[in-house]
Amino acid sequence: MKIVRINHQNLADINKANQPYEIIGRIKPAFDNGNWSYTEEIYEQPYMKEYPEDSYDYAAYIDNSDKVIFFAYSNAECIGQIILKRDWNKYAFIEDICVAKSARGQGVGTALIQKAIEWAKNSNLKGLALETQDNNLLACRFYAKCGFVIGAVNTMLYRNFDNDEFAVFWYLIL
């Protein structure tokens, strides 16, 4: 596997790894004595979910010191991506991370997180931050495995949509 920064030659690979993923359950966060913890609820019927492709000016990430995209390749195939930006609070905010279905469970996501850590350190940032939904249990497990901790839960962010999802904000302090 090779991880490379976005450039004019690979710009067309954006979102190639954005593929449906399985929702198997949710986390149930709890805040007690200043600390977050959570339990898991496993669904009887898992289901598939897919995010629509965002339409950002991805060319603006090329040679930009405040935001970056890294692609993971296996041979010539794009199997993963991570999109980062320098946030106001001295964190590198992960706007998106995805791994192609065929490459999941093979360390691609971990390698992308390691690349994000490297970029954050080189950018003099204090950590990584991201937001995901409480019902994306597999993602929540992955972030916890990478050393992220819950920093906040927003029960209102997705309220105007036809779902019961909560936003969970995860942080990795460097």
Side-chain angles (χ1 to χ4, degrees):
M1 176 179 41
K2 182 169 76 169
I3 298 179
V4 293
R5 191 175 182 139
I6 191 170
N7 57 51
H8 292 288
Q9 289 72 40
N10 64 14
L11 179 60
D13 287 338
I14 195 73
N15 290 322
K16 284 190 176 176
N18 183 13
Q19 299 173 357
Y21 58 94
E22 191 172 29
I23 300 293
I24 66 163
R26 71 183 332 131
I27 65 167
K28 294 182 157 199
F31 190 68
D32 187 41
N33 291 325
N35 294 306
W36 284 99
S37 63
Y38 63 89
T39 57
E40 295 183 358
E41 174 188 346
I42 305 299
Y43 295 153
E44 283 186 32
Q45 280 290 44
Y47 61 94
M48 298 302 287
K49 184 174 178 179
E50 183 173 13
Y51 288 118
E53 289 187 15
D54 295 318
S55 57
Y56 296 118
D57 177 14
Y58 293 111
Y61 288 76
I62 298 171
D63 298 324
N64 191 321
S65 61
D66 290 329
K67 52 188 175 181
V68 67
I69 299 171
F70 292 104
F71 295 117
Y73 291 94
S74 176
N75 301 316
E77 180 186 0
C78 181
I79 57 171
Q81 73 182 30
I82 190 166
I83 302 175
L84 302 153
K85 71 175 183 178
R86 177 188 302 270
D87 217 348
W88 63 272
N89 58 0
K90 299 186 181 182
Y91 284 95
F93 189 80
I94 299 173
E95 296 179 289
D96 183 50
I97 180 171
C98 57
V99 175
K101 190 173 183 177
S102 64
R104 292 179 188 153
Q106 299 174 24
V108 177
T110 302
L112 289 167
I113 293 292
Q114 290 303 315
K115 193 66 170 177
I117 290 169
E118 179 185 312
W119 183 79
K121 285 181 177 178
N122 290 338
S123 300
N124 295 314
L125 298 173
K126 305 299 181 192
L128 302 178
L130 61 90
E131 178 269 326
T132 194
Q133 294 77 37
D134 64 326
N135 68 347
N136 194 346
L137 179 56
L138 295 175
C140 292
R141 285 177 177 172
F142 170 72
Y143 300 132
K145 181 180 167 191
C146 289
F148 286 77
V149 295
I150 297 174
V153 175
N154 184 336
T155 62
M156 301 296 283
L157 189 63
Y158 299 109
R159 181 182 177 154
N160 294 328
F161 298 96
D162 190 24
N163 60 42
D164 64 346
E165 297 175 359
F166 295 162
V168 181
F169 292 84
W170 295 85
Y171 294 84
L172 178 65
I173 309 300
L174 301 179

